[in-house]
Amino acid sequence: MNDEVSNEIDSTVREKNAGVEKVPEKKWRRRFNRLAWRVHARFPNTVPNPYRREKESIRKRDAQANLESSLKEGENLQLGCIVVSEIFGPNEIEALYEDLIKIGWGKDRISTLTDVNIEWIKEQRLYGHGGWLSLGHVVRPREVKDFLGVCYTADFPIEFSSLWVRLTQLTPSVTCMTVAFMLSDEASRDYLHEINRPAETRYSPNRRTGGYAVQGVEVEKETRVGLVREKYRNLGIAWFAKNFPGFFTKHCEDTRFPTAEFLSLDGFTPFEHDTEIKRGWRHWSRFVGIGRSSDFWLNNENPSLGYAMRNGYQETLPNHITVAQRWEASSEPNEEVVEISLNRKAMTALNELEGIIPHYAFTAYLSELLRDLKETRQSFATVSKARRSTQDVDRISSFFRRFVGIPAVAQEALALAKDEVSFRINASGFSYHSGFGADKKLESADGLRSFTERLSRKLLEDDRGTREFLNQMSSAIGTKENIAAQRRMEFLAVVAAIVSFGSLIVASIAIGK
């Protein structure tokens, strides 16, 4: 762009020195360009820009942006799996038992005599102090003969090659089911294809202002990657809604589901902040959530493995984790790199986070309970000045039935947060690194534990305050209804007295005759 401006200046100087006068632009041409610009501003993606020089400049800029935002030679990116977690609290646990029996996962994979998996959950909820149970590899019924050993079976979308299922008993009242949806070879390359596929600048018209917003190549590619992520997240969430509907399925939007994704990388190390600054805004790592992150955690023994919780799509997916690992960097320098399947890579990485993901889902569960309490309180507050009736009493009764187990959940969450040993065993191994360069180190166990404690205390306070508010409101409604009933009875007594007096007069007249 600067070269074009300098060439124009040199051309103008030469024309003046040669004494040549520039021909002024004709009026009809200016009018035509103005009209063409208005039409272009209204339909920017179909009507070309009338100014050819700008169009050529955008074409060159797009070509350069496509080159900078694509994977370089020697780099590789694969989406290994999508992980979806569902929580089963006091109100959802009976449905979990029924669904496990229905799908055939209640019994042990080898012995089919008793529902050992269901009995394990019940025992943990009654007497246990937390634990986990792996249901292992899950394949389609027609594919079970292709795998060694005994596997559970289930139907799932063709985009996934298999499932990996794990049950975690977080507290006596809360059970978490985590399912890793392993992507097929073709689906695992969708991120790579969308990033390397050339994009062009697009425009979003704004009818109010008469102009349009320019969306460059990097925005277009980031949008494509987001659509791929949304597609596979929704497939996993839909599978849960069909087979194991729990708290998030019944009470939350799909965007609030606690999910994670695993990225397998070659030739690129994720979460290197010092290197990220040099890469620039257009680098492809930002599109998949492993570049320019301000909140990421690295494995203490293997720095090439890490995860991020605050990404560019935090506003749309607040409970999503991006796990990434550079696989060849995980080997020793003189160690021969052995070819391993993508599913094996995903499971190796997820085993390092086997306790972190359920605990993170638990914090999302506590956050949604807090939101539900606030919305309920606000819904009653909006009609605080309106006339109370028995319908309000029914709503209050419904609230107490629905949130009957919340105090127990909050108390158990607070007790769990005080158990440092449990977090050290189940949620350790990663350290916090600030993308802003702050010298701050925090273990993942301590971070999750403090977050759980803060949410549980807040949940206890809000639940106590909400129940006191509803009890007072219920008492006020009951008092008002009692007064109204007393007034009705007084009115009926007066009417009865008048009727009796009238009857007495009629009877006296009849006797006198």
Side-chain angles (χ1 to χ4, degrees), residues 293-349:
S293 175
S294 60
D295 185 5
F296 59 93
W297 306 73
L298 297 182
N299 188 270
N300 296 331
E301 298 180 357
N302 180 13
S304 65
L305 169 64
Y307 67 91
M309 292 187 292
R310 282 197 291 177
N311 304 284
Y313 43 84
Q314 181 190 6
E315 295 181 358
T316 55
L317 300 177
N319 298 323
H320 188 75
I321 299 177
T322 301
V323 184
Q325 181 177 15
R326 180 174 180 173
W327 188 255
E328 76 274 15
S330 304
S331 306
E332 297 295 332
N334 299 327
E335 183 180 352
E336 182 181 357
V337 179
V338 181
E339 187 66 26
I340 300 178
S341 66
L342 181 61
N343 287 2
R344 179 70 179 276
K345 293 179 181 179
M347 290 310 306
T348 301

Side-chain angles (χ1 to χ4, degrees), residues 18-142:
V20 179
E21 295 184 359
K22 292 185 69 177
V23 178
E25 188 178 15
K26 296 181 180 180
K27 291 184 178 180
W28 69 267
R29 184 69 180 176
R30 289 201 302 269
R31 293 176 180 174
F32 174 78
N33 285 341
R34 290 175 183 172
L35 178 61
W37 171 258
R38 292 178 181 177
V39 178
H40 167 67
R42 181 68 177 82
F43 306 100
N45 294 309
T46 54
V47 178
N49 193 321
Y51 302 101
R52 297 182 179 179
R53 184 178 301 171
E54 183 180 351
K55 184 177 181 180
E56 183 64 23
S57 174
I58 292 176
R59 185 181 294 111
K60 292 180 180 179
R61 186 179 63 191
D62 287 353
Q64 181 65 23
N66 277 300
L67 182 63
E68 295 178 3
S69 60
S70 298
L71 274 76
K72 306 299 185 292
E73 184 178 357
E75 295 179 342
N76 188 37
L77 166 67
Q78 284 184 284
L79 176 60
C81 67
I82 291 289
V83 182
V84 182
S85 300
E86 179 62 287
I87 294 293
F88 299 88
N91 297 330
E92 298 86 20
I93 190 62
E94 292 299 329
L96 175 62
Y97 298 151
E98 296 175 1
D99 293 333
L100 284 172
I101 295 175
K102 187 186 303 181
I103 203 172
W105 296 358
K107 303 180 184 298
D108 186 72
R109 284 175 290 182
I110 299 176
S111 174
T112 59
L113 298 178
T114 58
D115 295 328
V116 293
N117 294 336
I118 296 177
E119 293 300 326
W120 179 87
I121 298 174
K122 290 182 177 180
E123 184 176 354
Q124 289 297 317
R125 294 179 75 93
L126 291 175
Y127 308 106
H129 301 281
W132 58 270
L133 175 66
S134 176
L135 301 187
H137 209 53
V138 177
V139 298
R140 297 180 178 87
R142 64 178 180 276

Side-chain angles (χ1 to χ4, degrees), residues 215-430:
Q215 296 179 347
V217 168
E218 58 277 2
V219 177
E220 180 68 19
K221 290 190 174 183
E222 187 175 7
T223 302
R224 293 177 184 174
V225 171
L227 292 175
V228 174
R229 179 183 297 110
E230 182 181 1
K231 171 186 175 183
Y232 293 128
R233 278 188 81 256
N234 290 343
L235 286 175
I237 292 171
W239 184 88
F240 257 106
K242 178 181 178 182
N243 296 280
F244 295 99
F247 174 83
F248 286 97
T249 303
K250 297 176 181 178
H251 304 296
C252 304
E253 298 178 355
D254 290 350
T255 55
R256 311 295 300 187
F257 251 89
T259 56
E261 62 182 273
F262 168 72
L263 304 178
S264 176
L265 305 169
D266 292 320
F268 179 83
T269 304
F271 310 119
E272 287 184 329
H273 178 69
D274 295 337
T275 310
E276 288 176 13
I277 297 177
K278 301 176 183 178
R279 295 189 188 115
W281 180 256
R282 291 176 175 174
H283 197 268
W284 59 267
S285 61
R286 186 178 63 83
F287 308 155
V288 295
I290 59 175
R292 289 184 176 272
S293 175
S294 60
D295 185 5
F296 59 93
W297 306 73
L298 297 182
N299 188 270
N300 296 331
E301 298 180 357
N302 180 13
S304 65
L305 169 64
Y307 67 91
M309 292 187 292
R310 282 197 291 177
N311 304 284
Y313 43 84
Q314 181 190 6
E315 295 181 358
T316 55
L317 300 177
N319 298 323
H320 188 75
I321 299 177
T322 301
V323 184
Q325 181 177 15
R326 180 174 180 173
W327 188 255
E328 76 274 15
S330 304
S331 306
E332 297 295 332
N334 299 327
E335 183 180 352
E336 182 181 357
V337 179
V338 181
E339 187 66 26
I340 300 178
S341 66
L342 181 61
N343 287 2
R344 179 70 179 276
K345 293 179 181 179
M347 290 310 306
T348 301
L350 292 179
N351 282 338
E352 298 292 332
L353 289 91
E354 59 184 5
I356 294 176
I357 290 178
H359 280 81
Y360 186 69
F362 186 44
T363 61
Y365 172 62
L366 296 177
S367 298
E368 293 304 313
L369 289 177
L370 274 169
R371 173 195 57 81
D372 214 349
L373 279 174
K374 293 176 182 177
E375 289 181 349
T376 301
R377 190 166 59 246
Q378 291 173 1
S379 67
F380 281 104
T382 54
V383 294
S384 59
K385 296 182 181 180
R387 182 181 181 276
R388 301 298 184 181
S389 64
T390 54
Q391 293 180 354
D392 295 316
V393 178
D394 293 338
R395 291 176 59 196
I396 295 173
S397 300
S398 176
F399 167 84
F400 282 110
R401 287 194 301 270
R402 179 181 171 186
F403 291 90
V404 63
I406 299 305
V409 170
Q411 291 284 359
E412 292 168 1
L414 184 59
L416 175 65
K418 294 179 180 179
D419 188 357
E420 296 185 14
V421 176
S422 175
F423 277 89
R424 292 290 179 187
I425 295 175
N426 298 308
S428 62
F430 289 80

Side-chain angles (χ1 to χ4, degrees), residues 363 366-367 370 451-460:
T363 61
L366 296 177
S367 298
L370 274 169
F451 191 32
T452 303
E453 182 177 4
R454 185 165 65 253
L455 288 174
S456 59
R457 290 187 185 278
K458 183 64 175 174
L459 182 59
L460 278 172

